[in-house]
Amino acid sequence: GFLVLSDTKGTRLASGDFLQAHKGDEVNCRLLLQFKDGSVHDETAVFTQHKVFILQSYHLIQKGASFKEDMDVHMERSGAYRVKVKLRKGEEKVLEGKLDLPQDVYNGMVPTIGKNIEKGSTETVHIVAFTPTPRVIELQMVPAGEEKVRIGDLSKSASHYLLKPKLGPLLKIGAAILGKTPPDTHLWTIFTDVPAFVKLEGPLATEGPIWRVELTSPVWAK
């Protein structure tokens, strides 16, 4: 799919692609956004889908003025991770270690999971939040009603889901003290016939602004 990213006022900030390709028994899922100011968000998840989805590897690159810091993240199914962070002051640090990952860690796969849950059901999965120190948190997917959308001259119903990060007691207290409790993310999916991603609204980076990612169509040059 072709994507456009806007702020909450509708100002377009970036354009990009949502790509999926099979290689053997794996699916390579990539979200690439290129910002007008030269910033880049490049997120790749490789997963298998034998009855259930299993994340095999994850790679995230965020760089440029649109982000608080440049970050390059690698994470494997084993839980091994490497996070390279470059602050705006020029300082660099590298974090390496290993996490105990649940089976349902779905970094870079939320729109895909959103198309494969039962419509109207409430589900709980996990993601790893890189702050930049990685932390495994629960993500509750809660139905929030239906909304009408127009596709050309056709009217369709899109299911609205709230994606609510559930912090553990210690993280919740710390986030509240620092004023950094993560906001809910919003996801819209059309479930008619073949499920389709419509829109995602929420932060793409820790302490980042609320952005809106939507499908768009090519426009022919004159």
Side-chain angles (χ1 to χ4, degrees):
F2 302 108
L3 301 176
V4 61
L5 179 144
S6 307
D7 61 18
T8 53
K9 296 180 180 179
T11 302
R12 181 166 54 86
L13 304 176
S15 301
D17 301 282
F18 182 65
L19 310 169
Q20 284 194 351
H22 288 113
K23 185 176 181 180
D25 64 347
E26 294 182 337
V27 178
N28 186 303
C29 181
R30 186 183 185 194
L31 172 64
L32 175 61
L33 294 166
Q34 301 183 66
F35 288 71
K36 288 183 175 182
D37 66 5
S39 302
V40 172
H41 174 98
D42 191 352
E43 186 175 29
T44 301
V46 178
F47 60 92
T48 54
Q49 49 185 13
H50 302 296
K51 295 186 178 180
V52 294
F53 291 99
I54 301 293
L55 180 69
Q56 300 299 319
S57 64
Y58 177 71
H59 185 202
L60 171 66
I61 297 173
Q62 289 181 335
K63 60 182 180 180
S66 287
F67 301 99
K68 181 181 177 181
E69 56 201 10
D70 291 354
M71 186 161 57
D72 191 335
V73 172
H74 291 266
M75 182 175 67
E76 301 297 327
R77 175 69 251 166
S78 64
Y81 66 86
R82 185 178 190 273
V83 182
K84 182 178 179 180
V85 180
K86 183 176 181 180
L87 303 177
R88 291 287 166 257
K89 297 179 181 180
E91 303 173 11
E92 286 190 2
K93 62 179 178 179
V94 175
L95 305 174
E96 294 182 293
K98 191 172 183 178
L99 297 169
D100 184 12
L101 295 183
Q103 285 287 92
D104 60 351
V105 165
Y106 291 140
N107 284 59
M109 296 174 58
V110 170
T112 299
I113 298 304
K115 294 190 295 183
N116 284 274
I117 60 178
E118 184 177 349
K119 180 180 178 180
S121 66
T122 297
E123 304 289 346
T124 299
V125 298
H126 292 82
I127 59 171
V128 178
F130 294 93
T131 62
T133 303
R135 304 182 186 279
V136 179
I137 62 174
E138 287 187 352
L139 187 68
Q140 192 175 31
M141 307 178 72
V142 181
E146 299 288 312
E147 297 181 23
K148 291 295 183 181
V149 296
R150 296 195 65 82
I151 302 174
D153 294 325
L154 302 178
S155 177
K156 293 184 179 290
S157 180
S159 296
H160 178 196
Y161 269 78
L162 292 179
L163 311 182
K164 306 174 74 69
K166 310 296 286 186
L167 304 181
L170 293 179
L171 285 179
K172 193 171 184 178
I173 293 173
I177 292 174
L178 296 174
K180 297 179 180 179
T181 302
D184 293 344
T185 293
H186 301 258
L187 174 67
W188 287 264
T189 303
I190 293 176
F191 284 99
T192 306
D193 300 322
V194 178
F197 164 79
V198 179
K199 182 169 67 172
L200 182 74
E201 188 174 290
L204 290 184
T206 304
E207 300 179 44
I210 302 298
W211 284 332
R212 182 180 301 144
V213 180
E214 300 175 272
L215 291 174
T216 189
S217 298
V219 177
W220 292 103
K222 292 183 180 180

